[in-house]
Amino acid sequence: IIQQKLQLKDAALGKFAKRYLEFVKTADKLTEAESEAMHKELLADLETIEFQAMKAEMNVHNRRRNHEWAAAECQQLRRTIDTTRAEISRLEAQLALEMKKRSNKMEYENYAKMILDFPAPEQSQEELRKLEAEIDVLKEKLRRQEEIIDMKQKQLHLLVL
């Protein structure tokens, strides 16, 4: 991180490096108290720089974690979308089936209504028997009427002769 900071020409690190080089050059000329004071200042500056470096490292770490979290959320969202699409397809198929069932039911009900409009087979056979009996009665009447007409024609024929 210090190398990266130097490459980026960090002002605080550059200032520290200059002060350190100055301290090294003038270390022989300084008194012990001045040397101790400058050493403490350099340590304080170094702690500040280290703190900033740790802070930068934490920011990088947090951003990496945020990126990983976002990627995981994105994958989860894609899975959810895929699941939802599959569910929609399944529900569309179910809807088509239910619509077909409803159509079939309506058609069945129409046929059932038409069938119920007709009389029962037993009732139809009874009506048929009654109509056949009535036809027989009418045929018998017709035969009698024809006999009467035939006899009247013969009588008329005899009279004319």
Side-chain angles (χ1 to χ4, degrees):
I1 292 177
I2 293 175
Q3 284 179 337
Q4 289 174 350
K5 290 256 185 187
L6 285 173
Q7 288 173 351
L8 295 174
K9 299 183 181 175
D10 189 325
L13 193 55
K15 184 179 172 186
F16 172 77
K18 285 179 187 177
R19 288 187 65 207
Y20 178 74
L21 290 174
E22 182 183 321
F23 173 70
V24 170
K25 285 180 189 176
T26 60
D28 296 340
K29 300 175 188 171
L30 297 175
T31 65
E32 190 176 322
E34 290 174 334
S35 180
E36 189 68 32
M38 192 160 203
H39 182 261
K40 285 182 181 179
E41 287 176 18
L42 286 171
L43 285 176
D45 288 346
L46 187 58
E47 284 178 8
T48 302
I49 291 169
E50 285 176 342
F51 175 74
Q52 289 174 351
M54 286 175 42
K55 188 174 163 184
E57 188 177 346
M58 291 300 288
N59 282 339
V60 167
H61 178 71
N62 284 340
R63 285 183 183 170
R64 184 174 293 129
R65 274 194 0 221
N66 285 343
H67 177 71
E68 289 169 357
W69 174 82
E73 285 295 312
C74 185
Q75 287 177 348
Q76 178 63 30
L77 184 59
R78 283 190 179 124
R79 283 192 297 270
T80 302
I81 288 171
D82 291 342
T83 303
T84 303
R85 282 187 179 146
E87 180 71 11
I88 287 171
S89 295
R90 186 187 67 76
L91 289 174
E92 284 175 340
Q94 185 179 357
L95 176 63
L97 179 66
E98 291 299 323
M99 288 175 69
K100 183 67 177 170
K101 283 182 181 178
R102 182 176 181 194
S103 171
N104 290 346
K105 183 178 178 183
M106 289 173 65
E107 187 176 348
Y108 170 80
E109 288 173 355
N110 286 336
Y111 286 137
K113 184 178 177 185
M114 286 172 40
I115 290 170
L116 290 176
D117 287 344
F118 290 107
E122 297 84 21
Q123 187 180 359
S124 296
Q125 287 177 353
E126 182 63 33
E127 283 182 35
L128 187 61
R129 272 188 243 121
K130 285 180 183 178
L131 289 173
E132 286 174 349
E134 192 176 324
I135 288 173
D136 288 343
V137 169
L138 289 173
K139 280 183 182 177
E140 184 58 34
K141 274 186 180 180
L142 179 64
R143 189 188 58 76
R144 279 192 220 139
Q145 292 294 326
E146 285 176 351
E147 282 178 5
I148 292 173
I149 290 174
D150 194 33
M151 189 167 59
K152 296 267 182 185
Q153 278 180 346
K154 286 180 185 176
Q155 286 175 353
L156 181 64
H157 204 332
L158 279 175
L159 242 160
V160 173
L161 279 177

